Amino acid sequence: MRVVVTGVRSRTHLVHVSAYLRTALDATARGELVDVGYLGGGTFLGSASVDASDVARLLPDDPRLRIRMLDRLEDWSPAGDELVYVAVGAPGIRPWIELRRRAGLTRIAVVVTDEGIGSYGTWRTRHDAWLRQGVREPWCTVRTSAVQLADRVLTTRRFAMYDAARDWALDPVIAEEFRSRTSEGDGDGADRVVLLTQPWVEMGALPQAAYLDHVAQVRDRVAATGRRLVVRPHPSEDPSRYDRFETLAGDLPAELDGRVVGSAAVVGGSSTALLNLAALHDLPAWRLLVPGLEHLEERLGADQRGLLRRYLPAAVAATDLPAG
Protein backbone atom coordinates (compact mmCIF):
# COMPACT_ATOMS: atom_id res chain seq x y z
CA MET A 1 0.00 0.00 0.00
CA ARG A 2 1.12 3.54 -0.76
CA VAL A 3 -0.24 6.51 1.14
CA VAL A 4 0.23 10.23 0.55
CA VAL A 5 -0.65 12.70 3.31
CA THR A 6 -1.39 16.42 2.84
CA GLY A 7 -2.96 19.27 4.77
CA VAL A 8 -1.42 18.75 8.23
CA ARG A 9 -1.32 22.12 10.01
CA SER A 10 -1.17 21.05 13.65
CA ARG A 11 0.20 18.25 15.81
CA THR A 12 -3.38 17.22 16.60
CA HIS A 13 -3.87 16.51 12.89
CA LEU A 14 -0.95 14.09 13.05
CA VAL A 15 -2.70 12.05 15.75
CA HIS A 16 -5.71 11.57 13.47
CA VAL A 17 -3.43 10.56 10.59
CA SER A 18 -1.59 8.17 12.93
CA ALA A 19 -4.87 6.48 13.87
CA TYR A 20 -5.68 5.94 10.20
CA LEU A 21 -2.21 4.54 9.46
CA ARG A 22 -2.69 1.97 12.22
CA THR A 23 -5.84 0.77 10.47
CA ALA A 24 -3.85 0.57 7.23
CA LEU A 25 -1.13 -1.48 8.93
CA ASP A 26 -3.74 -3.80 10.42
CA ALA A 27 -5.26 -4.32 6.96
CA THR A 28 -1.92 -5.05 5.31
CA ALA A 29 -0.67 -8.59 4.93
CA ARG A 30 2.09 -9.67 7.30
CA GLY A 31 5.48 -8.51 6.09
CA GLU A 32 4.14 -6.02 3.55
CA LEU A 33 5.08 -2.36 3.83
CA VAL A 34 2.96 0.78 4.01
CA ASP A 35 4.89 3.42 2.08
CA VAL A 36 3.95 6.97 3.18
CA GLY A 37 4.76 10.16 1.31
CA TYR A 38 4.23 13.13 3.67
CA LEU A 39 3.77 16.43 1.85
CA GLY A 40 4.62 19.24 4.24
CA GLY A 41 3.88 22.92 3.94
CA GLY A 42 0.59 23.18 5.81
CA THR A 43 0.33 26.45 7.76
CA PHE A 44 -2.03 28.16 10.19
CA LEU A 45 -2.07 31.97 10.36
CA GLY A 46 0.89 32.00 7.99
CA SER A 47 3.25 29.84 10.04
CA ALA A 48 4.06 26.14 10.17
CA SER A 49 3.67 24.50 13.58
CA VAL A 50 4.59 20.97 12.47
CA ASP A 51 8.07 19.81 11.49
CA ALA A 52 9.81 16.55 10.63
CA SER A 53 10.50 15.76 14.29
CA ASP A 54 6.75 15.97 15.04
CA VAL A 55 6.01 13.61 12.16
CA ALA A 56 8.56 11.10 13.47
CA ARG A 57 7.24 11.42 17.03
CA LEU A 58 3.49 11.32 16.38
CA LEU A 59 3.09 8.86 13.50
CA PRO A 60 3.25 5.14 14.38
CA ASP A 61 6.62 3.61 15.19
CA ASP A 62 6.33 0.41 13.18
CA PRO A 63 9.00 -1.33 11.07
CA ARG A 64 6.47 -1.88 8.30
CA LEU A 65 5.81 1.87 7.98
CA ARG A 66 8.17 3.80 5.72
CA ILE A 67 7.75 7.58 5.84
CA ARG A 68 9.30 9.93 3.33
CA MET A 69 9.13 13.71 3.74
CA LEU A 70 8.23 15.44 0.48
CA ASP A 71 8.64 19.01 -0.72
CA ARG A 72 6.48 18.26 -3.76
CA LEU A 73 4.50 15.32 -5.09
CA GLU A 74 6.77 15.07 -8.11
CA ASP A 75 9.38 13.61 -5.73
CA TRP A 76 7.22 10.59 -4.93
CA SER A 77 6.12 7.62 -7.01
CA PRO A 78 2.50 6.48 -6.58
CA ALA A 79 3.10 3.12 -8.25
CA GLY A 80 1.73 0.22 -6.23
CA ASP A 81 -1.18 -2.13 -5.75
CA GLU A 82 -3.16 0.36 -3.68
CA LEU A 83 -2.97 4.16 -3.44
CA VAL A 84 -4.59 6.10 -0.60
CA TYR A 85 -4.69 9.86 -0.41
CA VAL A 86 -5.14 11.00 3.23
CA ALA A 87 -6.21 14.63 3.47
CA VAL A 88 -6.89 16.71 6.56
CA GLY A 89 -10.23 18.53 6.47
CA ALA A 90 -10.85 18.13 2.72
CA PRO A 91 -8.97 16.77 -0.30
CA GLY A 92 -6.59 19.22 -1.90
CA ILE A 93 -7.60 19.69 -5.52
CA ARG A 94 -4.10 20.22 -6.89
CA PRO A 95 -2.60 17.22 -5.01
CA TRP A 96 -5.47 15.02 -6.21
CA ILE A 97 -4.99 16.12 -9.83
CA GLU A 98 -1.25 15.44 -9.62
CA LEU A 99 -1.84 12.03 -8.05
CA ARG A 100 -4.45 11.19 -10.67
CA ARG A 101 -2.03 12.21 -13.44
CA ARG A 102 0.79 10.11 -12.02
CA ALA A 103 -1.19 7.09 -10.85
CA GLY A 104 -2.31 5.97 -14.28
CA LEU A 105 -4.95 3.26 -13.91
CA THR A 106 -4.34 2.78 -10.19
CA ARG A 107 -7.47 3.50 -8.17
CA ILE A 108 -7.14 6.34 -5.64
CA ALA A 109 -8.98 6.04 -2.36
CA VAL A 110 -9.45 9.43 -0.66
CA VAL A 111 -9.61 9.38 3.14
CA VAL A 112 -10.46 12.65 4.92
CA THR A 113 -9.57 13.10 8.59
CA ASP A 114 -10.77 15.82 10.96
CA GLU A 115 -9.26 19.28 10.84
CA GLY A 116 -11.12 20.08 14.06
CA ILE A 117 -14.59 21.26 14.93
CA GLY A 118 -14.63 22.98 11.54
CA SER A 119 -15.04 19.56 9.92
CA TYR A 120 -18.57 19.46 11.36
CA GLY A 121 -19.56 22.85 10.01
CA THR A 122 -21.14 24.13 6.82
CA TRP A 123 -20.11 26.19 3.81
CA ARG A 124 -20.85 29.33 5.83
CA THR A 125 -18.92 28.30 8.94
CA ARG A 126 -15.86 27.36 6.84
CA HIS A 127 -16.13 30.63 4.91
CA ASP A 128 -16.40 32.64 8.15
CA ALA A 129 -13.44 30.82 9.68
CA TRP A 130 -11.21 31.68 6.73
CA LEU A 131 -12.34 35.29 6.83
CA ARG A 132 -11.27 35.42 10.48
CA GLN A 133 -7.90 33.96 9.47
CA GLY A 134 -7.34 36.78 6.99
CA VAL A 135 -8.43 35.25 3.66
CA ARG A 136 -9.92 38.11 1.63
CA GLU A 137 -12.83 38.24 -0.76
CA PRO A 138 -13.52 37.23 -3.45
CA TRP A 139 -10.86 34.54 -2.96
CA CYS A 140 -12.45 33.40 0.33
CA THR A 141 -15.74 32.57 -1.40
CA VAL A 142 -13.99 30.88 -4.32
CA ARG A 143 -11.77 28.85 -2.00
CA THR A 144 -14.65 27.78 0.24
CA SER A 145 -16.76 26.66 -2.71
CA ALA A 146 -13.89 24.74 -4.29
CA VAL A 147 -13.02 22.95 -1.04
CA GLN A 148 -16.64 22.04 -0.33
CA LEU A 149 -17.03 20.67 -3.87
CA ALA A 150 -13.81 18.64 -3.64
CA ASP A 151 -14.87 17.24 -0.28
CA ARG A 152 -18.25 16.15 -1.63
CA VAL A 153 -17.03 14.73 -4.94
CA LEU A 154 -13.62 13.24 -4.17
CA THR A 155 -13.93 11.83 -0.65
CA THR A 156 -14.11 8.05 -0.48
CA ARG A 157 -14.18 7.75 3.31
CA ARG A 158 -14.57 10.14 6.23
CA PHE A 159 -12.31 8.99 9.05
CA ALA A 160 -14.03 11.12 11.69
CA MET A 161 -13.56 11.40 15.44
CA TYR A 162 -17.31 11.84 16.10
CA ASP A 163 -20.24 9.94 14.58
CA ALA A 164 -23.46 11.93 14.17
CA ALA A 165 -25.44 8.74 13.51
CA ARG A 166 -24.51 7.41 16.98
CA ASP A 167 -25.26 10.54 19.02
CA TRP A 168 -21.77 11.89 18.31
CA ALA A 169 -20.05 8.82 19.77
CA LEU A 170 -16.26 8.71 19.60
CA ASP A 171 -14.57 6.56 16.99
CA PRO A 172 -12.82 3.91 19.15
CA VAL A 173 -9.67 3.74 17.01
CA ILE A 174 -9.10 7.49 17.02
CA ALA A 175 -9.99 7.79 20.70
CA GLU A 176 -7.52 5.06 21.62
CA GLU A 177 -4.80 6.78 19.58
CA PHE A 178 -5.24 9.96 21.60
CA ARG A 179 -5.51 8.22 24.96
CA SER A 180 -2.54 5.93 24.39
CA ARG A 181 -0.33 8.91 23.56
CA THR A 182 -1.30 10.98 26.61
CA SER A 183 1.76 11.84 28.69
CA GLU A 184 2.19 11.47 32.44
CA GLY A 185 0.75 14.20 34.63
CA ASP A 186 2.69 16.19 37.19
CA GLY A 187 0.52 15.36 40.21
CA ASP A 188 -0.14 19.06 40.78
CA GLY A 189 -3.54 19.42 39.18
CA ALA A 190 -6.01 19.03 42.06
CA ASP A 191 -6.75 22.77 42.27
CA ARG A 192 -5.68 23.73 38.75
CA VAL A 193 -8.10 25.00 36.12
CA VAL A 194 -6.56 25.29 32.65
CA LEU A 195 -7.66 28.04 30.28
CA LEU A 196 -7.19 27.13 26.61
CA THR A 197 -6.62 30.43 24.85
CA GLN A 198 -7.20 31.09 21.17
CA PRO A 199 -5.31 33.33 18.72
CA TRP A 200 -7.96 36.05 18.55
CA VAL A 201 -5.30 38.76 18.72
CA GLU A 202 -3.30 37.21 15.85
CA MET A 203 -6.49 37.01 13.80
CA GLY A 204 -7.27 40.65 14.47
CA ALA A 205 -10.57 39.72 16.09
CA LEU A 206 -9.74 41.38 19.43
CA PRO A 207 -7.22 43.91 20.73
CA GLN A 208 -4.65 42.32 23.01
CA ALA A 209 -5.67 44.47 25.99
CA ALA A 210 -9.30 43.37 25.69
CA TYR A 211 -8.39 39.69 25.53
CA LEU A 212 -6.05 39.95 28.50
CA ASP A 213 -8.83 41.65 30.45
CA HIS A 214 -11.00 38.60 29.70
CA VAL A 215 -8.25 36.23 30.88
CA ALA A 216 -7.87 38.23 34.09
CA GLN A 217 -11.63 38.06 34.66
CA VAL A 218 -11.53 34.26 34.27
CA ARG A 219 -8.59 34.06 36.68
CA ASP A 220 -10.41 36.12 39.29
CA ARG A 221 -13.57 34.04 38.98
CA VAL A 222 -11.61 30.78 39.31
CA ALA A 223 -9.73 32.16 42.33
CA ALA A 224 -13.06 32.98 43.97
CA THR A 225 -13.89 29.26 43.86
CA GLY A 226 -10.69 28.37 45.73
CA ARG A 227 -8.75 27.17 42.70
CA ARG A 228 -6.04 28.66 40.50
CA LEU A 229 -6.12 29.45 36.80
CA VAL A 230 -3.27 28.33 34.56
CA VAL A 231 -3.12 29.56 30.97
CA ARG A 232 -2.37 27.16 28.13
CA PRO A 233 -1.41 29.39 25.16
CA HIS A 234 -2.53 28.34 21.68
CA PRO A 235 0.42 27.10 19.56
CA SER A 236 -0.05 30.05 17.17
CA GLU A 237 0.21 32.65 19.94
CA ASP A 238 3.16 34.46 21.44
CA PRO A 239 3.26 32.92 24.94
CA SER A 240 4.94 36.03 26.38
CA ARG A 241 1.53 37.69 26.09
CA TYR A 242 0.58 35.88 29.29
CA ASP A 243 3.66 36.74 31.35
CA ARG A 244 1.53 38.10 34.20
CA PHE A 245 -0.38 34.82 34.47
CA GLU A 246 0.68 31.34 35.49
CA THR A 247 1.15 29.38 32.27
CA LEU A 248 1.43 25.76 31.20
CA ALA A 249 3.26 25.69 27.88
CA GLY A 250 4.17 22.54 25.98
CA ASP A 251 4.79 21.11 22.54
CA LEU A 252 2.15 18.39 22.83
CA PRO A 253 -1.49 18.98 21.89
CA ALA A 254 -3.47 19.81 25.04
CA GLU A 255 -5.39 16.54 24.62
CA LEU A 256 -2.11 14.60 24.97
CA ASP A 257 -0.62 16.64 27.80
CA GLY A 258 -1.03 14.73 31.06
CA ARG A 259 -0.69 17.97 33.02
CA VAL A 260 -3.80 19.33 31.32
CA VAL A 261 -5.68 16.03 31.52
CA GLY A 262 -4.78 15.73 35.21
CA SER A 263 -6.19 19.15 36.09
CA ALA A 264 -9.42 19.77 37.99
CA ALA A 265 -11.12 21.33 34.97
CA VAL A 266 -10.53 23.09 31.67
CA VAL A 267 -12.21 26.22 30.29
CA GLY A 268 -12.11 28.08 26.99
CA GLY A 269 -14.00 29.03 23.87
CA SER A 270 -15.73 26.55 21.56
CA SER A 271 -12.44 25.00 20.49
CA THR A 272 -11.52 21.55 19.25
CA ALA A 273 -9.13 20.99 22.17
CA LEU A 274 -11.80 21.82 24.77
CA LEU A 275 -14.26 19.45 23.10
CA ASN A 276 -11.71 16.65 22.80
CA LEU A 277 -10.57 16.94 26.42
CA ALA A 278 -14.14 16.58 27.64
CA ALA A 279 -15.00 13.74 25.25
CA LEU A 280 -11.77 11.73 25.48
CA HIS A 281 -10.90 12.14 29.13
CA ASP A 282 -14.20 13.01 30.84
CA LEU A 283 -12.49 16.15 32.08
CA PRO A 284 -14.90 18.75 33.51
CA ALA A 285 -15.02 21.53 30.92
CA TRP A 286 -16.84 24.81 30.47
CA ARG A 287 -17.28 26.92 27.38
CA LEU A 288 -16.75 30.65 27.73
CA LEU A 289 -18.25 33.56 25.86
CA VAL A 290 -15.46 36.00 25.01
CA PRO A 291 -16.59 39.64 25.28
CA GLY A 292 -16.81 41.07 21.79
CA LEU A 293 -17.05 37.65 20.15
CA GLU A 294 -20.43 36.50 21.43
CA HIS A 295 -21.71 36.43 17.85
CA LEU A 296 -19.50 33.41 17.10
CA GLU A 297 -21.80 31.28 19.24
CA GLU A 298 -24.73 32.25 17.04
CA ARG A 299 -22.77 31.45 13.87
CA LEU A 300 -22.10 27.80 14.73
CA GLY A 301 -23.57 25.22 12.37
CA ALA A 302 -26.32 22.84 13.46
CA ASP A 303 -23.99 19.83 13.67
CA GLN A 304 -21.41 21.84 15.58
CA ARG A 305 -24.09 22.84 18.07
CA GLY A 306 -25.22 19.25 18.49
CA LEU A 307 -21.67 17.99 18.95
CA LEU A 308 -20.80 20.63 21.53
CA ARG A 309 -24.07 20.05 23.36
CA ARG A 310 -23.30 16.32 23.58
CA TYR A 311 -20.10 16.82 25.59
CA LEU A 312 -20.14 20.38 26.97
CA PRO A 313 -22.53 22.67 28.83
CA ALA A 314 -23.85 25.86 27.27
CA ALA A 315 -21.39 28.73 26.90
CA VAL A 316 -21.40 31.28 29.74
CA ALA A 317 -19.68 34.54 30.60
CA ALA A 318 -16.64 34.35 32.85
CA THR A 319 -18.61 35.79 35.75
CA ASP A 320 -21.10 32.92 35.45
CA LEU A 321 -18.61 30.05 35.69
CA PRO A 322 -19.91 27.50 38.20
CA ALA A 323 -18.27 27.28 41.60
CA GLY A 324 -18.04 23.48 41.55
Side-chain angles (χ1 to χ4, degrees):
M1 180 187 293
R2 293 201 169 216
V3 178
V4 65
V5 177
T6 75
V8 171
R9 296 178 298 282
S10 76
R11 297 181 182 102
T12 306
H13 293 164
L14 282 174
V15 183
H16 288 268
V17 173
S18 179
Y20 173 75
L21 290 176
R22 289 195 195 280
T23 70
L25 288 166
D26 289 345
T28 302
R30 180 173 305 203
E32 291 188 0
L33 299 175
V34 175
D35 198 355
V36 178
Y38 178 92
L39 184 65
T43 63
F44 179 72
L45 296 179
S47 62
S49 57
V50 178
D51 59 26
S53 66
D54 295 316
V55 174
R57 176 177 54 153
L58 292 173
L59 292 189
D61 181 13
D62 190 294
R64 294 177 299 144
L65 191 67
R66 297 194 308 192
I67 301 172
R68 181 177 176 186
M69 304 295 292
L70 306 176
D71 293 321
R72 54 180 191 167
L73 283 180
E74 288 83 350
D75 297 331
W76 186 77
S77 171
D81 295 333
E82 185 177 356
L83 175 60
V84 181
Y85 172 26
V86 177
V88 176
I93 296 174
R94 281 185 289 184
W96 186 88
I97 290 173
E98 179 62 23
L99 285 172
R100 180 72 278 164
R101 184 181 72 82
R102 293 166 58 79
L105 297 178
T106 302
R107 176 179 173 271
I108 302 175
V110 179
V111 176
V112 175
T113 65
D114 283 0
E115 63 178 335
I117 195 171
S119 291
Y120 301 89
T122 62
W123 185 96
R124 178 181 55 77
T125 60
R126 187 185 293 272
H127 176 268
D128 290 352
W130 275 334
L131 280 179
R132 290 193 296 272
Q133 293 170 28
V135 181
R136 297 185 177 182
E137 293 289 15
W139 172 238
C140 188
T141 293
V142 172
R143 179 180 178 182
T144 305
S145 299
V147 168
Q148 292 288 105
L149 178 63
D151 194 25
R152 185 170 63 251
V153 173
L154 301 180
T155 300
T156 304
R157 176 187 178 189
R158 269 282 286 133
F159 190 66
M161 170 87 92
Y162 300 98
D163 186 352
R166 297 188 297 124
D167 190 26
W168 300 110
L170 286 161
D171 179 277
V173 174
I174 303 175
E176 176 57 25
E177 189 69 23
F178 274 86
R179 290 169 180 151
S180 67
R181 290 182 174 275
T182 302
S183 67
E184 292 292 329
D186 58 6
D188 192 32
D191 68 339
R192 180 170 59 208
V193 175
V194 177
L195 171 63
L196 305 175
T197 62
Q198 293 176 271
W200 299 126
V201 177
E202 281 74 10
M203 291 183 185
L206 284 177
Q208 177 167 297
Y211 194 43
L212 290 177
D213 284 346
H214 167 68
V215 175
Q217 190 175 45
V218 179
R219 178 197 58 196
D220 294 345
R221 173 57 185 162
V222 169
T225 70
R227 295 174 292 182
R228 75 186 203 277
L229 185 77
V230 179
V231 175
R232 173 73 171 209
H234 189 277
S236 298
E237 289 184 288
D238 177 1
S240 67
R241 172 175 300 140
Y242 304 103
D243 281 349
R244 63 188 175 103
F245 301 95
E246 185 180 354
T247 59
L248 190 67
D251 62 358
L252 281 174
E255 303 95 314
L256 304 187
D257 191 332
R259 299 170 302 169
V260 177
V261 174
S263 297
V266 63
V267 297
S270 300
S271 70
T272 302
L274 188 81
L275 170 66
N276 288 346
L277 282 162
L280 289 165
H281 302 292
D282 293 323
L283 185 63
W286 288 277
R287 287 196 294 141
L288 291 171
L289 294 170
V290 179
L293 298 177
E294 295 90 348
H295 63 282
L296 296 181
E297 183 71 15
E298 302 171 2
R299 301 285 287 179
L300 291 168
D303 281 351
Q304 291 173 325
R305 290 177 185 276
L307 176 53
L308 291 168
R309 189 166 53 244
R310 169 68 172 79
Y311 292 101
L312 297 165
V316 296
T319 53
D320 294 327
L321 277 173

